[in-house]
Amino acid sequence: MSDLSKYRNIGIFAHVDAGKTTTTERILKLTGKIHKLGEVHDGAATTDFMEQEQERGITIQSAATTCFWDDHRFNIIDTPGHVDFTIEVYRSLKVLDGGVGVFCGSGGVEPQSETNWRYANESGVARLIFVNKLDRLGADFYRVVDQVEKVLAAKPLVMTIPIGYEDSFCGVVDILSQKAYVWDESGQPENFEVQDIPDDLKEKAEQYRTDLIETAVEQDDDAMEKYLEGEEPDIDTIKKCIRKGTINLDFFPTYCGSAFKNKGIQLILNAVIDYLPSPTEVKPQPEVDMEGNETGEFAIVDKDKPLRALAFKIMDDQYGALTFTRVYSGVLAKGVNLLNTFTGKEERVGRIVEMHADSREDLDSAQAGDIVALVGLKNVQTGHTLCDPKNPATLEPMVFPDPVISIAVAPKDKAAAEKLGVAIGKMVKEDPSFHVETDQDSGETILRGMGELHLDIKIDMLKRTHGVEGDAGAPQVAYRETVTNRLEDSYTHKKQSGGAGQYAKIDYVIEPLEAGSGFEFESKIVGGNVPKEYIPAVEKGWKLSKDKGVLAGYPCLDFKVTLVDGGFHAVDSSAVAFEIASKAAYRQSMTKAGAQLLEPIMKLDVFTPEDNVGDVIGDLNRRRGMISAQDTNPTGIRVKGEAPLSEMFGYIGDLRTMTSGRGQFSMEFSHYSPCPRNIAEKIMEDVKAREEAKK
């Protein structure tokens, strides 16, 4: 069995275009996993193997690969940077022990870096920082280090500083050893020399070294004591202290270089070994019961313990469904039966494979700490726990955000309709942030996702990967409805039809709740005016009704219904009667309670060159945007604010036109807010027109 202390499960994450995939590519080349470098801009990177990725030069799905450096095994996951695919980052971080956050030397801490950093904090993942692209115009290592402190509220521990700037960037100074690593112009990562520090950097390097040691020794009382007495600890002690602080998330060792030019990558690989945790050094995963409450047991990383594994990604290829799984404890062997605690069914493991982007190697078994893909599992989805049937336990499940944008797809003919159903089933399995539903009235298939790009790629995949021809409609916004007033009301349901009739009377109060509260139901019935057994039926009636609002048929949220009184008939009352009464009461009262349309508001982060900032802000104001901040950096201005999603369709095209192609933006869902009256009326008219057209 392998030595777990020599395992590193790491992810590489960053904002779009900071150089994650290029960094991964360089790591694979250095470790001898690949022999020819593939470039992202040529569409030849190893981990970007989907057609859509190669064309667009972006990473869409996280790819896993394994390589070896200095007798250590690295399981690496390259994650996407684009905001629409944040989900991929989230689920990868869930199963990783450490990570490398890549930041662009000129762009600095960009919006998506913030989101990913927040996720990594929530998951408690130790990480290194790599400031990349120092050969680019406007790159400034020290500025990025300041940004990490200010924007991310993290403490960077500077381990290397750059030699030269922009075009003249040629190497780095290793602060700990006080040596300079200088690369030649051949572009080969192996061609470097270890030299003395250039004179102009000696003072700076010395200063950083003092800061480094002072920060590191805080982790160990003995080392601290000796240091205060004037005795400098040896290198091994300092490294131990840095490792301890990194794993505790007290600070983040920070490196610099240029992945594209092959400068500085070796030092990062050494740092992964030196400072990032092995599977046994991370807090073990808590086990939970079926309700999601912690049981007090933990999945300890040990091959002799019962099997616990988490499926974190499903991918479909020509050989069938691959279930990417992280084994937390025990041993997973080929041909054994596993229990899926979510479905309660057993699954048989056909094959175990080690992935290298889209190629694979067969394995006989995997042990605690491994990340592998399983072939042959039928009903497993992202976030399901696989365990030993004789000793079951569930690991903490994953929570995914709700989609905010939808689009209708209509197949061209009957044959395409059948294919569409199969293809969509596979895609939903692969991506938990992608939802599909069928419109009851029109029979249209509605795809829901996290953003325009997300849906655009899904439509593209339907055509190319699954060969389904279909017409996609215009994107639709996921509006919601709520109430604004408190209302006391009553409803009586009576029906006599010979024989047993129906009778139910309910008195209730409707009141608005704070944004984000959802729906609440409370019964204040005392004395049995509504028998206990009928109260769940009253709740059910309201719950079913709220999915279709009274204004435009959108789901209703953020309100509370309190059942205060009612009446029943000894013979004619039934659960069904009370459910019907609740549904009728919903239709009667919601309009009276001041029904209101809500629209999704997106958090915006727009980058623009300084010359165009006036146009950009003017355009955002026309889109009903609210500007909250403007930050100036050397390459341009970042405008932060909020705007309704409905106004932001096609924004990227307009932004590029205004900024001659230099502008960038990202947005993510923030909250729901009341829709202005004139816009609400227009939405209701559109909905009415769509309903009429269906008839």
Side-chain angles (χ1 to χ4, degrees):
M1 281 292 179
S2 328
D3 178 3
L4 280 178
S5 64
K6 295 208 164 165
Y7 270 55
R8 298 288 181 273
N9 292 321
I10 58 168
I12 297 186
F13 56 91
H15 184 83
V16 65
D17 249 4
K20 302 172 295 299
T21 304
T22 307
T23 305
T24 310
E25 199 72 9
R26 299 310 184 255
I27 291 174
L28 295 177
K29 172 78 170 64
L30 268 172
T31 55
K33 190 76 189 185
I34 55 173
H35 301 293
K36 178 180 173 287
L37 279 176
E39 300 303 351
V40 174
H41 47 77
D42 299 337
T46 313
T47 51
D48 284 356
F49 51 84
M50 284 170 64
E51 283 178 22
Q52 291 82 356
E53 294 178 314
Q54 292 166 359
E55 279 175 16
R56 298 164 193 250
I58 59 170
T59 305
I60 293 169
Q61 57 177 9
S62 40
T65 181
T66 304
C67 56
F68 291 86
W69 180 256
D70 194 12
D71 286 342
H72 285 67
R73 177 191 176 106
F74 289 7
N75 293 320
I76 302 176
I77 295 183
D78 174 29
T79 64
H82 199 285
V83 64
D84 286 10
F85 310 108
T86 319
I87 201 86
E88 287 281 342
V89 182
Y90 167 72
R91 57 181 177 181
S92 302
L93 282 168
K94 204 80 183 140
V95 296
L96 292 169
D97 305 326
V100 178
V102 182
F103 296 96
C104 171
S106 58
V109 177
E110 294 168 289
Q112 199 48 35
S113 324
E114 290 179 48
T115 310
N116 293 345
W117 198 263
R118 199 168 65 241
Y119 280 151
N121 283 342
E122 285 169 13
S123 304
V125 172
R127 39 211 180 278
L128 307 173
I129 292 173
F130 174 44
V131 179
N132 189 19
K133 300 194 177 183
L134 286 182
D135 55 321
R136 275 184 70 168
L137 204 64
D140 182 345
F141 171 70
Y142 302 104
R143 190 186 77 248
V144 180
V145 170
D146 282 350
Q147 278 187 334
V148 169
E149 275 194 79
K150 285 182 186 139
V151 179
L152 302 177
K155 185 173 174 59
L157 187 67
V158 175
M159 303 294 289
T160 61
I161 56 175
I163 306 172
Y165 272 93
E166 297 174 0
D167 291 347
S168 61
F169 172 69
C170 61
V172 300
V173 172
D174 183 15
I175 298 290
L176 206 50
S177 64
Q178 291 285 296
K179 289 286 181 207
Y181 289 72
V182 179
W183 278 262
D184 63 15
E185 287 309 303
S186 66
Q188 293 301 320
E190 299 85 7
N191 296 354
F192 67 91
E193 285 179 14
V194 181
Q195 304 173 355
D196 288 332
I197 299 175
D199 291 341
D200 58 333
L201 287 173
K202 273 185 176 158
E203 198 178 313
K204 193 172 240 177
E206 190 57 47
Q207 181 54 51
Y208 271 113
R209 191 168 193 271
T210 310
D211 294 349
L212 175 102
I213 292 171
E214 282 178 1
T215 308
V217 293
E218 286 174 6
Q219 299 291 327
D220 185 321
D221 293 345
D222 294 347
M224 180 90 159
E225 222 165 278
K226 283 180 183 165
Y227 184 70
L228 291 173
E229 286 166 10
E231 186 187 328
E232 185 179 293
D234 57 70
I235 292 281
D236 282 348
T237 308
I238 297 171
K239 280 188 172 176
K240 268 187 196 142
C241 291
I242 298 175
R243 183 179 185 90
K244 188 178 168 193
T246 308
I247 293 172
N248 290 341
L249 308 187
D250 292 337
F251 46 72
F252 303 92
T254 301
Y255 289 79
C256 58
S258 162
F260 186 56
K261 296 281 174 65
N262 278 310
K263 293 170 184 171
I265 301 291
Q266 287 96 329
L267 294 163
I268 292 177
L269 290 176
N270 294 334
V272 168
I273 292 176
D274 287 342
Y275 308 128
L276 287 182
S278 70
T280 52
E281 290 169 303
V282 194
K283 284 183 185 155
Q285 280 279 338
E287 293 178 3
V288 296
D289 58 20
M290 295 321 280
E291 275 75 51
N293 305 313
E294 291 189 13
T295 58
E297 298 286 317
F298 290 91
I300 297 181
V301 180
D302 183 346
K303 61 179 192 301
D304 299 327
K305 296 272 186 216
L307 178 68
R308 307 279 183 262
L310 186 71
F312 67 95
K313 179 178 165 72
I314 313 286
M315 198 171 103
D316 215 78
D317 69 358
Q318 67 264 39
Y319 305 109
L322 284 168
T323 308
F324 283 78
T325 306
R326 159 80 195 257
V327 186
Y328 281 104
S329 67
V331 175
L332 180 62
K334 200 162 73 175
V336 298
N337 281 0
L338 302 175
L339 175 70
N340 177 348
T341 57
F342 188 82
T343 58
K345 292 186 176 138
E346 288 195 14
E347 300 265 356
R348 185 175 171 81
V349 178
R351 287 165 64 199
I352 302 175
V353 292
E354 182 180 289
M355 295 302 292
H356 173 56
D358 58 345
S359 61
R360 64 203 56 196
E361 287 167 37
D362 272 283
L363 301 172
D364 288 328
S365 67
Q367 62 166 20
D370 276 330
I371 294 179
V372 290
L374 308 179
V375 181
L377 304 186
K378 299 281 189 297
N379 298 315
V380 177
Q381 287 186 359
T382 301
H384 287 184
T385 303
L386 301 168
C387 63
D388 181 351
K390 293 188 189 80
N391 193 335
T394 306
L395 300 169
E396 188 185 7
M398 302 184 190
V399 182
F400 298 110
D402 287 332
V404 287
I405 178 171
S406 62
I407 189 166
V409 176
K412 287 240 163 102
D413 49 39
K414 200 157 180 222
E418 285 173 13
K419 277 173 86 178
L420 179 73
V422 174
I424 282 177
K426 286 182 179 173
M427 285 160 69
V428 168
K429 260 192 163 173
E430 285 179 18
D431 183 353
S433 61
F434 175 61
H435 292 207
V436 176
E437 55 193 57
T438 307
D439 188 310
Q440 296 299 330
D441 304 328
S442 66
E444 284 180 321
T445 304
I446 313 277
L447 311 183
R448 298 185 182 278
M450 302 310 290
E452 271 185 285
L453 179 66
H454 190 194
L455 290 182
D456 189 27
I457 282 169
K458 293 294 181 207
I459 298 276
D460 196 42
M461 281 170 70
L462 277 176
K463 280 188 186 150
R464 271 200 260 179
T465 317
H466 301 284
V468 178
E469 287 295 326
D471 299 319
Q476 301 288 331
V477 178
Y479 292 101
R480 295 286 181 266
E481 296 181 22
T482 188
V483 297
T484 50
N485 310 326
R486 185 178 184 277
L487 175 79
E488 292 183 25
D489 210 345
S490 169
Y491 186 84
T492 306
H493 171 68
K494 266 189 203 160
K495 195 173 178 191
Q496 287 304 133
S497 55
Q502 289 180 351
Y503 180 84
K505 177 175 183 285
I506 50 172
D507 297 352
Y508 50 92
V509 175
I510 299 175
E511 52 198 323
L513 292 176
E514 274 180 32
S517 312
F519 168 73
E520 286 179 21
F521 178 84
E522 187 187 355
S523 165
K524 286 190 175 170
I525 299 280
V526 284
N529 286 353
V530 175
K532 263 200 194 104
E533 61 265 31
Y534 297 148
I535 290 171
V538 177
E539 184 176 358
K540 185 183 170 191
W542 282 95
K543 266 190 177 158
L544 289 172
S545 303
K546 73 176 178 48
D547 292 339
K548 200 167 174 83
V550 290
L551 294 175
Y554 292 106
C556 201
L557 44 86
D558 302 336
F559 72 104
K560 179 178 177 181
V561 173
T562 310
L563 184 63
V564 287
D565 204 357
F568 74 105
H569 186 278
V571 178
D572 291 352
S573 286
S574 62
V576 172
F578 276 96
E579 191 179 317
I580 295 170
S582 302
K583 288 176 177 172
Y586 173 85
R587 291 193 294 276
Q588 165 184 295
S589 302
M590 290 308 267
T591 320
K592 295 188 210 165
Q596 187 175 46
L597 212 56
L598 300 173
E599 58 181 354
I601 304 291
M602 308 303 277
K603 200 159 89 190
L604 289 184
D605 199 318
V606 184
F607 171 81
T608 162
E610 208 161 330
D611 306 347
N612 310 106
V613 69
D615 297 342
V616 168
I617 288 178
D619 181 63
L620 283 173
N621 287 336
R622 277 197 296 282
R623 294 173 185 269
R624 301 194 283 127
M626 297 282 285
I627 311 294
S628 57
Q630 291 180 48
D631 301 333
T632 308
N633 63 30
T635 50
I637 289 178
R638 275 174 67 183
V639 178
K640 293 189 174 185
E642 291 180 342
L645 174 63
S646 57
E647 303 284 347
M648 295 306 290
F649 288 137
Y651 179 61
I652 187 71
D654 295 355
L655 179 66
R656 284 186 180 148
T657 310
M658 283 183 285
T659 59
S660 316
R662 288 156 66 200
Q664 283 183 333
F665 91 109
S666 77
M667 63 178 184
E668 57 181 318
F669 173 70
S670 168
H671 61 279
Y672 277 99
S673 144
C675 213
R677 180 174 288 208
N678 56 331
I679 290 166
E681 282 170 1
K682 189 172 176 319
I683 294 165
M684 284 164 13
E685 276 170 25
D686 290 352
V687 169
K688 216 176 235 167
R690 278 208 300 275
E691 296 293 321
E692 288 298 319
K694 285 173 191 172
K695 286 173 188 170

